[in-house]
Amino acid sequence: MLRGATRRLLLRGLRGPRHPAALAAAAGSAVCIWSQSAACCEPEPTFTAAEVAAHASMADGVWVTLGDGVYDVTEFVRHHPGGDHILAAGGGPLEPLWAQWQVHLTSRVMGHLQPLRIGRLAPADRLSGLYNIADPYDDEPERDGRLGVLGARPFDSETAREVLATAFWTPQHLFYVRNHLPAPRIDEDEHRLTLDWGGGRRRSFSVRELREELPQATLHATLQCTGNRCDEVEPSAAGGIGQIGNAWWEGVRVRDLLALRPPGEGGDGEARDGKPGGDAAGTLHLHATGCDGYEVSIPLEKVLDARGDVLLAHSMNGEPLSRDHGAPLRLLAPGFVGARSVKWLQHLAVRPEESGSVWQKRYYRMFPPWVRDLCDIDYDDGDVPPVYEFPVQSAIVSPAAGDVVTLGDDGALEARGYAVSGAGQRIVSVRLSTDGGESWRNATLLGLPPPAPPEHGRNWSWVLWRARVPVPPGAREVTLCCKAIDSAYNTQPERADYNLRGYLSNASPKVAVSVERAVPRCGGG
Amino acid sequence: MLRGATRRLLLRGLRGPRHPAALAAAAGSAVCIWSQSAACCEPEPTFTAAEVAAHASMADGVWVTLGDGVYDVTEFVRHHPGGDHILAAGGGPLEPLWAQWQVHLTSRVMGHLQPLRIGRLAPADRLSGLYNIADPYDDEPERDGRLGVLGARPFDSETAREVLATAFWTPQHLFYVRNHLPAPRIDEDEHRLTLDWGGGRRRSFSVRELREELPQATLHATLQCTGNRCDEVEPSAAGGIGQIGNAWWEGVRVRDLLALRPPGEGGDGEARDGKPGGDAAGTLHLHATGCDGYEVSIPLEKVLDARGDVLLAHSMNGEPLSRDHGAPLRLLAPGFVGARSVKWLQHLAVRPEESGSVWQKRYYRMFPPWVRDLCDIDYDDGDVPPVYEFPVQSAIVSPAAGDVVTLGDDGALEARGYAVSGAGQRIVSVRLSTDGGESWRNATLLGLPPPAPPEHGRNWSWVLWRARVPVPPGAREVTLCCKAIDSAYNTQPERADYNLRGYLSNASPKVAVSVERAVPRCGGG
């Protein structure tokens, strides 16, 4: 289950020369919480590295060390969002693994680990001075300072409000980036995309072939992170309204690639109704794997659908993809959450089951509101389906909460924002209210002008909106709220249910501002 | 603009022998309100039939008579939901027209007419004894007494709760019927469906050809009236939770019919990207007309889409269509509101613009909440789009509001209902709450069993659901609420905005019941 890059890093960490400074640099401020002992009054038992090493499997129990602590994580493995990736550190230190997976460097993760502490690591066996962990994040791309950073390693960021409010096409360097691992650096002359239809039928493509020899298509599509607005559902999550952007993409339709299937029979790819084969239930999935090791799958029907518009993109807003956006190739599954649009794409495979990756099976699924803790999750619950399409969404970009807003002569405030729906549905209205939803007025929608309206059910691009909203006379504070309505007349809920990952947060937005009236002009009788 | 049947009826009414008894029979109890005079103290002016007849056009003004009243409806024509159909009665009596369009026989319509009264019709010119209006509703089908009648002429009814709660496939004779006009009686041996691709290319098909010579397809699809649950949005509307049903349909895919296009060029049907032609914006529409004169259109993309599943159905649940369900042929546009699935289908035409019918342009559009009166409607507002797909929907079928519910030994009540979403989205969860939405629990979904799960995005059929919901100890009254979540994670709003037609009412359902506890069993220590 352990991906190549992680395994290589781990082995390098375990075998190479060891320098604590490098480890501390990789881990940053998290070092301070690593050395906390569990608060207890009796002296803890002490274990040697050899004793820890004897617990490296589910059969023998899984012990790990972190700083001076020894932890028995055997029971936690089944709750671990990363699944049995944790076994890579079984019987030894977590530090090398976590240098790669720095999402663990949070007090929340430490909160899960602390109760599992069973003792102290013998001082002679502690890592100090022993490890040299090459920092997997030492070759990250240069990034524009206007991106709002939500997480540094892996890089997680949002589009700035001033960009959201004004740019229909979000410039690539200002477009939110949400990586799961270090950003790979790929030599595009060497890179090949392999496509596996199953049954031993495979083919690989160079980037040049994909760019120059196959029919090219253009797609107008909004990308939105599954966790956009996550902080409104799960306050401990880092997020805002900016994990979204809109671009035009160029590349090859994945259905055109699938049509290049070499002849052959048997395996997953058996021909069935003119489509690549299938299991008994007839459901097929396209697995997509990036060079960083990230992998998810999407239903093959979305890809085969002539109106599904799934693209293998090499270009964004007329420029080649940047490293942070998946250069040289990424998937683009419009109307689906961004997590399905795999970057640095190196492998596509048709399979009769969903991907078994942790991102498919343990993330990017919608857990019900009563699951409040990692240990409450039942990953085998068949009633917890993966997230593909996203629901109708909008945000008030301007004003922001807490702003002091000066009203115009008309007694109204100016508001701006965006709205978009998944599944190809068009936004038909965005409505605003300053009286808690008792009355509403329409915003003006600023989409793409005709004569290029998308076909019915193929609206993948957001609209920006503007409105002048009257404020009740005399009001000094006002809560502005909005809601979008899409072409299936779905609308945003008054409040969104809790889910522990903060996914698909789309409640009707509310922004409380203070109001100043314009100073009357001089003049008159 | 006036359809053939109406025009024929009107002319027959104007020219034939006249019997007041027939008119009264057709109009029923509405006669009593027809003879009300406007309340005023001065004698009204009196007009002769000849004077009225001089006002029969927008240029001369449009006067009509009803009973003893003369009304100037010139200004009202632009607000009239039926558009300029009203001109058919211009300069003369409304009675023959309204015998066909008996939706007018309501106090609400009279409320619109009364303020337009300008005088009395000269007694010698009144209709008494002059008209014989054949009752266009004198040949309606026999109907099952278990249908819940919402309107008699045209027939409008709902599926009974006991059927909704238990039957995954709604039996045809118990399936809601919503007609717009008298139900035609069609000789299926004579009947031909014509298909017009534009540019002079037409072809017609007999029912036998459609049933026996073309490839047949089966479709599992829920039909839901645009006005299902309308009374919850617009309390004066007649409705409940039963304007919905689920069936399996057999027939010919309309895209297969469209592929039979005769060769030719020019007109609306010019070939463009392999599709029948188009206007500058590239948007095409399929107009569908029934033998009753009802007509609407749907976007052609839905029909051409291999995954759109639009069917020309001749059979329902394995039986030929009954008259009330459109025998011998009806359209079935799954995931769209029922109004798009035209019954008694006689004509299909590809056109570059939407149908101009009143049902397309003046009904089955979603007016905003601030439009509270017919005269507030701006039918030319481009921001009031037609309704095609419907939003995520559910209903609590059992218990009903006001029921006295006996709890089980587990302190819980048994609830049942249905849930469905438009646009091919699947229902992933139905959740119930008895504490106003503070906490929720999942219902069990009873859909079609594998191995026939629909493809991603092609879920046209509802699910039935069941749940045992705990009631807070000691509670004597409880409000049960539910909400459905579909595969795009859209959910039902807490409350639905007003719209004057009561369309697409899909707020999270709430049912208040009284609670009785089970009498404890005898026995024990």
Side-chain angles (χ1 to χ4, degrees):
Chain A
M1 295 296 288
L2 191 59
R3 301 256 145 240
T6 307
R7 180 181 296 276
R8 278 193 302 280
L9 175 83
L10 179 61
L11 296 177
R12 191 166 66 211
L14 288 173
R15 290 172 186 158
R18 296 156 179 183
H19 293 301
L23 175 60
S29 62
V31 167
C32 61
I33 53 173
W34 292 10
S35 53
Q36 284 174 339
S37 298
C40 63
C41 305
E42 294 177 30
E44 288 186 298
T46 296
F47 300 103
T48 66
E51 286 174 300
V52 171
H55 297 86
S57 68
M58 292 303 285
D60 297 325
V62 183
W63 292 10
V64 294
T65 68
L66 186 70
D68 67 354
V70 176
Y71 303 85
D72 180 350
V73 298
T74 316
E75 283 303 307
F76 182 69
V77 171
R78 68 189 172 96
H79 300 303
H80 182 221
D84 55 10
H85 280 224
I86 199 176
L87 293 180
L94 281 171
E95 284 87 342
L97 193 66
W98 282 15
Q100 175 90 343
W101 303 95
Q102 295 193 19
V103 287
H104 293 90
L105 306 183
T106 65
S107 55
R108 191 173 176 187
V109 171
M110 290 311 300
H112 282 290
L113 192 60
Q114 279 308 109
L116 308 178
R117 183 166 173 136
I118 54 172
R120 295 164 64 91
L121 184 61
D125 289 341
R126 292 183 195 157
L127 287 187
S128 329
L130 298 180
Y131 272 77
N132 172 18
I133 301 169
D135 180 3
Y137 287 93
D138 66 2
D139 184 32
E140 291 283 281
E142 288 289 315
R143 282 151 182 153
D144 195 288
R146 286 166 287 180
L147 285 170
V149 178
L150 302 170
R153 300 171 175 204
F155 190 64
D156 187 6
S157 64
E158 55 178 354
T159 311
R161 278 178 187 265
E162 54 270 30
V163 179
L164 293 172
T166 54
F168 184 79
W169 303 119
T170 315
Q172 183 170 205
H173 63 293
L174 301 175
F175 197 110
Y176 89 97
V177 173
R178 196 277 187 252
N179 296 341
H180 292 84
L181 284 158
R185 180 186 288 276
I186 298 173
D187 179 342
E188 86 167 50
D189 293 333
E190 296 292 320
H191 185 68
R192 294 191 76 80
L193 172 78
T194 59
L195 172 49
D196 178 354
W197 285 262
R201 278 165 300 172
R202 285 168 165 256
R203 196 172 149 177
S204 78
F205 302 86
S206 71
V207 176
R208 195 192 55 73
E209 267 181 284
L210 292 165
R211 202 178 274 156
E212 298 174 18
E213 295 182 15
L214 289 166
Q216 301 293 298
T218 300
L219 174 68
H220 301 167
T222 294
L223 265 188
Q224 179 180 212
C225 189
T226 322
N228 192 29
R229 300 181 61 201
C230 57
D231 56 320
E232 298 176 49
V233 159
E234 167 43 274
S236 75
I241 61 168
Q243 292 184 283
I244 191 167
N246 191 56
W248 53 281
W249 313 83
E250 291 169 290
V252 179
R253 287 184 195 89
V254 180
R255 78 189 293 264
D256 290 346
L257 278 188
L258 284 168
L260 301 176
R261 179 164 52 119
E265 283 188 24
D268 303 325
E270 258 175 76
R272 191 177 53 88
D273 296 338
K275 290 191 272 172
D279 61 354
T283 305
L284 287 167
H285 304 265
L286 185 71
H287 295 209
T289 313
C291 292
D292 57 346
Y294 179 78
E295 178 185 307
V296 290
S297 61
I298 58 177
L300 189 66
E301 290 107 354
K302 167 75 173 170
V303 186
L304 293 176
D305 185 352
R307 308 176 78 242
D309 292 326
V310 178
L311 198 72
L312 181 63
H314 51 66
S315 150
M316 183 174 176
N317 295 335
E319 305 164 352
L321 290 177
S322 69
R323 261 180 79 205
D324 258 342
H325 288 287
L329 297 171
R330 76 175 298 170
L331 202 62
L332 226 297
F336 278 21
V337 291
R340 305 293 166 192
S341 289
V342 176
K343 300 196 279 194
W344 311 292
L345 193 69
Q346 67 172 353
H347 191 60
L348 291 171
V350 178
R351 293 286 180 266
E353 69 291 312
E354 283 180 39
S355 164
S357 81
V358 293
W359 297 283
Q360 184 73 26
K361 292 293 196 182
R362 300 195 159 210
Y363 289 88
Y364 303 122
R365 302 180 97 81
M366 200 65 174
F367 296 104
W370 51 85
V371 171
R372 292 254 159 197
D373 185 272
L374 277 185
C375 295
D376 294 338
I377 297 179
D378 175 4
Y379 291 109
D380 297 322
D381 183 349
D383 278 345
V384 179
V387 173
Y388 298 121
E389 282 94 351
F390 57 81
V392 58
Q393 173 68 292
S394 73
I396 299 169
V397 173
S398 167
D403 278 0
V404 179
V405 177
T406 303
L407 302 187
D409 292 344
D410 56 356
L413 62 79
E414 168 94 8
R416 295 178 178 217
Y418 63 75
V420 64
S421 194
Q425 296 295 331
R426 188 167 57 90
I427 296 296
V428 297
S429 300
V430 174
R431 297 201 174 130
L432 289 114
S433 176
T434 51
D435 58 9
E438 285 307 306
S439 67
W440 297 92
R441 63 171 48 211
N442 274 346
T444 302
L445 306 186
L446 312 164
L448 263 188
E455 282 188 4
H456 186 87
R458 293 174 81 177
N459 298 267
W460 313 117
S461 194
W462 69 11
V463 293
L464 302 186
W465 55 261
R466 284 189 204 176
R468 289 200 67 78
V469 193
V471 170
R476 304 185 62 171
E477 302 199 322
V478 70
T479 296
L480 182 66
C481 65
C482 82
K483 62 178 173 185
I485 301 167
D486 75 11
S487 45
Y489 292 90
N490 279 302
T491 188
Q492 299 177 261
E494 176 64 18
R495 55 181 186 168
D497 282 342
Y498 177 84
N499 69 86
L500 90 168
R501 300 235 189 270
Y503 287 162
L504 301 181
S505 169
N506 79 325
S508 173
K510 288 165 193 61
V511 168
V513 296
S514 301
V515 169
E516 277 185 354
R517 309 224 167 224
V519 177
R521 293 196 191 120
C522 298
Chain B
M1 293 297 289
L2 191 59
R3 302 256 145 241
T6 307
R7 181 182 298 277
R8 277 194 302 279
L9 176 80
L10 179 62
L11 296 177
R12 192 167 64 214
L14 289 173
R15 290 174 187 157
R18 297 157 177 182
H19 292 304
L23 174 60
S29 60
V31 167
C32 59
I33 52 174
W34 294 7
S35 53
Q36 284 175 339
S37 298
C40 63
C41 307
E42 296 177 30
E44 287 187 297
T46 298
F47 299 103
T48 65
E51 286 173 301
V52 171
H55 297 86
S57 68
M58 292 302 284
D60 298 325
V62 183
W63 291 9
V64 295
T65 67
L66 186 70
D68 67 353
V70 177
Y71 303 84
D72 180 350
V73 298
T74 316
E75 284 303 305
F76 182 71
V77 171
R78 67 191 171 94
H79 301 302
H80 182 222
D84 55 9
H85 280 225
I86 198 176
L87 293 180
L94 281 171
E95 285 87 341
L97 194 66
W98 283 14
Q100 174 90 344
W101 303 94
Q102 295 193 18
V103 288
H104 294 89
L105 306 184
T106 65
S107 55
R108 192 174 177 186
V109 171
M110 290 311 301
H112 283 290
L113 192 59
Q114 277 308 110
L116 308 179
R117 182 166 173 137
I118 54 170
R120 298 166 62 91
L121 185 61
D125 290 341
R126 290 183 196 157
L127 287 187
S128 330
L130 297 181
Y131 272 76
N132 172 20
I133 301 169
D135 181 3
Y137 288 93
D138 66 2
D139 184 32
E140 291 283 282
E142 288 289 313
R143 285 153 180 151
D144 195 288
R146 286 166 286 181
L147 284 171
V149 178
L150 301 170
R153 299 171 177 205
F155 191 65
D156 186 8
S157 63
E158 56 179 354
T159 311
R161 278 177 187 266
E162 53 272 28
V163 179
L164 293 172
T166 54
F168 184 78
W169 303 120
T170 314
Q172 183 169 207
H173 62 293
L174 301 175
F175 197 110
Y176 87 97
V177 173
R178 196 277 185 249
N179 296 342
H180 292 83
L181 285 157
R185 179 185 290 276
I186 298 172
D187 179 342
E188 87 168 50
D189 292 333
E190 296 292 320
H191 185 69
R192 295 191 75 83
L193 173 78
T194 59
L195 172 49
D196 177 355
W197 285 263
R201 278 166 300 173
R202 285 168 165 258
R203 196 173 149 175
S204 78
F205 302 86
S206 71
V207 176
R208 196 192 52 73
E209 269 180 284
L210 292 165
R211 201 179 272 158
E212 297 174 19
E213 295 181 16
L214 289 165
Q216 301 292 299
T218 300
L219 174 68
H220 300 168
T222 294
L223 264 190
Q224 180 181 211
C225 190
T226 322
N228 191 29
R229 299 181 62 199
C230 57
D231 56 320
E232 298 175 51
V233 160
E234 169 42 273
S236 76
I241 61 168
Q243 292 185 283
I244 192 167
N246 192 56
W248 54 281
W249 313 83
E250 291 169 291
V252 178
R253 287 183 195 90
V254 180
R255 77 188 294 264
D256 290 347
L257 277 190
L258 282 169
L260 301 176
R261 178 164 53 118
E265 282 187 26
D268 304 325
E270 260 176 74
R272 192 178 50 88
D273 297 337
K275 291 190 273 173
D279 62 354
T283 305
L284 287 168
H285 304 265
L286 185 70
H287 295 210
T289 313
C291 292
D292 57 345
Y294 180 79
E295 177 185 308
V296 290
S297 60
I298 58 177
L300 190 66
E301 292 105 353
K302 166 75 174 171
V303 186
L304 292 175
D305 186 352
R307 309 176 75 244
D309 293 325
V310 178
L311 198 71
L312 181 64
H314 52 66
S315 147
M316 183 174 176
N317 295 334
E319 304 164 353
L321 290 177
S322 69
R323 258 180 82 204
D324 257 342
H325 289 288
L329 297 171
R330 75 174 299 172
L331 203 61
L332 225 297
F336 279 20
V337 291
R340 305 294 165 192
S341 289
V342 175
K343 301 195 279 193
W344 311 290
L345 194 67
Q346 68 171 352
H347 192 58
L348 291 171
V350 178
R351 292 289 180 264
E353 70 291 311
E354 284 179 37
S355 164
S357 81
V358 292
W359 299 282
Q360 183 74 25
K361 293 292 195 182
R362 300 196 159 209
Y363 290 89
Y364 304 123
R365 302 181 97 82
M366 199 65 173
F367 296 103
W370 51 84
V371 172
R372 293 256 158 195
D373 186 271
L374 276 185
C375 295
D376 295 339
I377 296 180
D378 174 5
Y379 292 108
D380 297 322
D381 183 350
D383 279 346
V384 179
V387 173
Y388 298 121
E389 282 93 350
F390 56 81
V392 58
Q393 173 70 291
S394 72
I396 298 169
V397 174
S398 165
D403 277 0
V404 178
V405 176
T406 304
L407 303 187
D409 291 344
D410 56 356
L413 62 80
E414 169 96 5
R416 295 178 178 219
Y418 62 76
V420 64
S421 195
Q425 296 295 331
R426 187 167 57 91
I427 296 296
V428 298
S429 301
V430 174
R431 297 202 173 127
L432 289 114
S433 175
T434 50
D435 58 10
E438 286 305 307
S439 68
W440 297 92
R441 64 171 47 211
N442 275 346
T444 302
L445 306 186
L446 311 165
L448 263 188
E455 284 190 2
H456 185 86
R458 293 173 82 176
N459 298 268
W460 312 118
S461 193
W462 69 12
V463 294
L464 301 186
W465 56 262
R466 284 189 203 178
R468 291 200 66 78
V469 192
V471 170
R476 303 186 62 171
E477 302 199 322
V478 70
T479 297
L480 182 66
C481 65
C482 82
K483 63 178 172 186
I485 302 168
D486 76 10
S487 45
Y489 292 91
N490 280 303
T491 188
Q492 298 176 261
E494 176 65 17
R495 53 180 187 168
D497 282 342
Y498 176 83
N499 69 84
L500 90 166
R501 299 236 189 271
Y503 287 162
L504 302 180
S505 169
N506 78 325
S508 173
K510 289 165 193 61
V511 168
V513 295
S514 301
V515 169
E516 278 184 354
R517 306 216 172 233
V519 177
R521 293 199 191 118
C522 297

